[in-house]
Amino acid sequence: KLWRNSRLGIFAMEFTGPAGAGRTMRKVKLDQITDLRILGDASSIEIFINQGEKAMSTRYYPEEKREITITGGAEAVLYSLK
């Protein structure tokens, strides 16, 4: 789960259940988000914020089907890599 608290200026990547393999959260402090790029595959995810100004990366181990849900009025383009 990715979320942002604009009042505190925090962007976070949060893990629930066993997928995080013991990790619960990674977070960075930023005033605003102008660009967000997310790259993921079967067991890793990389997030580049504001054209690489901040970056987050981790391994994860999902036990079930993965889904992407976008809320908050954001626009997205999803590419499938083969």
Side-chain angles (χ1 to χ4, degrees), residues 2-72:
L2 301 175
W3 57 267
R4 179 172 180 255
N5 183 319
S6 57
R7 184 176 56 80
L8 297 176
I10 294 174
F11 178 81
M13 176 171 35
E14 185 175 1
F15 301 96
T16 57
R23 295 171 300 238
T24 57
M25 184 181 303
R26 298 226 169 136
K27 58 187 173 182
V28 295
K29 186 159 179 59
L30 6 112
D31 295 327
Q32 67 179 352
I33 296 175
T34 57
D35 179 70
L36 187 66
R37 182 171 293 219
I38 303 168
L39 305 174
D41 65 17
S43 66
S44 68
I45 187 166
E46 293 182 289
I47 301 168
F48 300 94
I49 307 161
N50 297 342
Q51 297 184 351
E53 175 185 333
K54 300 280 185 174
M56 303 167 82
S57 179
T58 193
R59 301 281 303 212
Y60 69 103
Y61 306 93
E63 292 184 342
E64 56 191 55
K65 180 180 172 186
R66 296 167 302 278
E67 293 182 353
I68 297 173
T69 303
I70 299 171
T71 61

